[in-house]
Amino acid sequence: MSSRGVGVGGGGGVGGGGGDHHGVYHQHGHGHLARADGAEFVFSNNDMESFFFSQPGSGVVGGGGSSRTGADELMPPNSSITDYLQGFLDPSGLARHLDTPCPPAEDAPVKHELSLDAMSHDSQGTSGGAAGEGAALLTPNSSVSLSSSDREGDGQPRRCKKKADDEVAAEGDEKDQENSTKATKPNKKKAEKRQRQPRVAFLTKSEVDHLEDGYRWRKYGQKAVKNSPYPRSYYRCTTPKCGVKKRVERSYQDPSTVITTYEGQHTHHSPASLRVGGAHLFMAGAHALPPHLMPPGGGFRPDLMGMMRHHPTIPSGASPSMFLPSMPPPQMPAPSPPPPPLQQHHFTDYALLQDLFPSSTMPNNP
DNA sequence: CGCATTTGACCTGCGC
DNA sequence: GCGCAGGTCAAATGCG
């Protein structure tokens, strides 16, 4: 028993963007790569599900599997990184994006420095469903991947049903559910569809596996990864009723690269944001983020904060508002001294993705 | 003592 | 049906 009691589930009731059951998406182990000059390349992976990339100039932002349909693959040319997260982590935001076809992006060079993988998951037919599945969005400064591949075409949950029970029930009474999980471990009564949270994956170059992102995490598992000498660690946010999870693994082909996958939304503020000196950017982010980036629970997006914090092109102490071209600068008090760097993080070129998931995802990979 | 981590077992889904 | 892999549980252990 020990210290259990960490809330599971919750996460702000994400669940939009579903619709994989329409059979549009393919499952893992699928994809294609066409990175010739800027076209998209798409691949999927057992872990990261599907990735979708594209150059803005192409106007294509990838799609789920190889047979995505609809205009939801396009992105507003002016989309910012926060837009992504908005879309990824907020079903309504995602839906909004998906409903907003746009003309091909223009000429902004793409640095492809970070990769996001946001999985919109089948839900009980909410907004996301109407909007279709996940869409990949793109900013000039980042490549973004997005997928929605939780289910087979027949709508089968792809993973652990027990987990589904947890997460489904978590929407109502996370705590009780957590406590009862053990007691009802073999219980399959609540065998509803698994409702997985959106996921966002970050690739960072770091010596440290567990990247500091302002939240407190509790490790609850570790697994060896096939074909990789590096294990994958599983973390949960330690805040009760916050069901955000995080997976951390290191690329075996590029050991300097850490893949951090967030799942869900925090329902609380970052503990780090409450500190004065230790999380400058987080604080800035907390104040600078527009309301639409705030999760339902009133917190902000630690993943976004972490992403920016670790972004090599972001000056220390930068405000997230810099990602919001149309947003007025936040009213911030005089900037405090920049926080000491926690690690050396560098988002990787997206080419690295191919290296990270070579065989399992690349169709033409031996 | 409380909390976090470790680690083997277990469960589930998927591919063959 | 079986084996594999991903994901989670939970007892044991460690640490401050």
Side-chain angles (χ1 to χ4, degrees):
Chain A
M1 289 199 270
S2 68
S3 58
R4 304 207 67 76
V6 176
V8 176
V14 184
D20 299 2
H21 49 282
H22 295 320
V24 175
Y25 288 164
H26 290 245
Q27 285 288 347
H28 40 204
H30 181 88
H32 75 273
L33 176 65
R35 61 179 288 178
D37 290 326
E40 87 268 64
F41 66 88
V42 178
F43 65 91
S44 50
N45 172 275
N46 289 343
D47 302 323
M48 309 292 277
E49 308 296 333
S50 300
F51 288 83
F52 312 100
F53 294 88
S54 170
Q55 300 279 19
S58 72
V60 179
V61 193
S66 60
S67 58
R68 291 288 309 261
T69 60
D72 54 34
E73 331 237 327
L74 302 178
M75 58 162 280
N78 292 328
S79 294
S80 68
I81 202 96
T82 53
D83 291 334
Y84 302 158
L85 292 176
Q86 175 187 356
F88 293 164
L89 301 180
D90 177 1
S92 60
L94 176 60
R96 204 162 50 244
H97 282 299
L98 301 184
D99 284 336
T100 308
C102 64
E106 298 178 353
D107 50 25
V110 178
K111 295 184 178 179
H112 302 293
E113 289 169 322
L114 94 91
S115 166
L116 303 181
D117 173 32
M119 266 67 82
S120 58
H121 306 291
D122 184 44
S123 62
Q124 287 123 9
T126 54
S127 59
E133 298 71 21
L137 307 176
L138 194 63
T139 71
N141 288 330
S142 62
S143 87
V144 179
S145 63
L146 171 67
S147 82
S148 174
S149 55
D150 270 352
R151 306 187 183 289
E152 298 283 8
D154 59 2
Q156 290 276 27
R158 201 168 63 82
R159 264 193 253 150
C160 196
K161 182 161 295 187
K162 177 172 60 181
K163 187 63 176 66
D165 296 345
D166 288 348
E167 294 187 356
V168 169
E171 299 208 335
D173 49 347
E174 295 88 350
K175 207 67 174 189
D176 292 343
Q177 172 58 25
E178 169 64 18
N179 292 335
S180 64
T181 297
K182 294 184 285 287
T184 62
K185 188 171 181 179
N187 187 351
K188 298 176 181 175
K189 283 179 259 183
K190 303 180 194 174
E192 291 184 26
K193 290 181 183 178
R194 173 186 173 79
Q195 193 171 7
R196 216 162 59 179
Q197 305 291 326
R199 285 201 230 164
V200 180
F202 300 95
L203 302 181
T204 65
K205 287 203 171 187
S206 172
E207 306 266 330
V208 183
D209 286 344
H210 193 185
L211 306 179
E212 176 62 50
D213 58 8
Y215 284 84
R216 295 184 62 203
W217 300 93
R218 178 173 174 272
K219 189 175 185 177
Y220 67 90
Q222 178 171 307
K223 285 284 290 187
V225 180
K226 186 185 178 184
N227 295 330
S228 173
Y230 304 102
R232 174 183 300 148
S233 297
Y234 300 88
Y235 297 88
R236 273 199 197 103
C237 181
T238 59
T239 300
K241 295 191 176 183
C242 179
V244 176
K245 282 181 272 191
K246 176 165 110 172
R247 289 190 318 199
V248 177
E249 61 185 295
R250 189 171 287 276
S251 167
Y252 77 99
Q253 289 217 342
D254 184 357
S256 65
T257 298
V258 175
I259 306 166
T260 304
T261 305
Y262 293 91
E263 181 174 343
Q265 293 182 26
H266 290 281
T267 59
H268 55 93
H269 290 273
S270 164
S273 69
L274 302 178
R275 297 199 300 265
V276 175
H280 170 82
L281 183 52
F282 291 109
M283 287 189 69
H287 293 290
L289 282 178
H292 70 269
L293 285 177
M294 297 294 184
F300 59 98
R301 301 294 175 72
D303 32 27
L304 171 60
M305 297 301 99
M307 174 178 65
M308 293 188 294
R309 181 193 192 92
H310 301 142
H311 199 291
T313 63
I314 300 172
S316 176
S319 165
S321 63
M322 62 190 299
F323 292 95
L324 302 171
S326 61
M327 294 291 293
Q331 293 183 345
M332 289 292 297
S336 57
L342 298 171
Q343 301 96 15
Q344 295 295 327
H345 299 316
H346 302 287
F347 285 96
T348 62
D349 187 283
Y350 70 8
L352 179 60
L353 290 170
Q354 184 178 8
D355 297 328
L356 293 172
F357 308 103
S359 59
S360 61
T361 60
M362 296 304 176
N364 295 329
N365 210 324

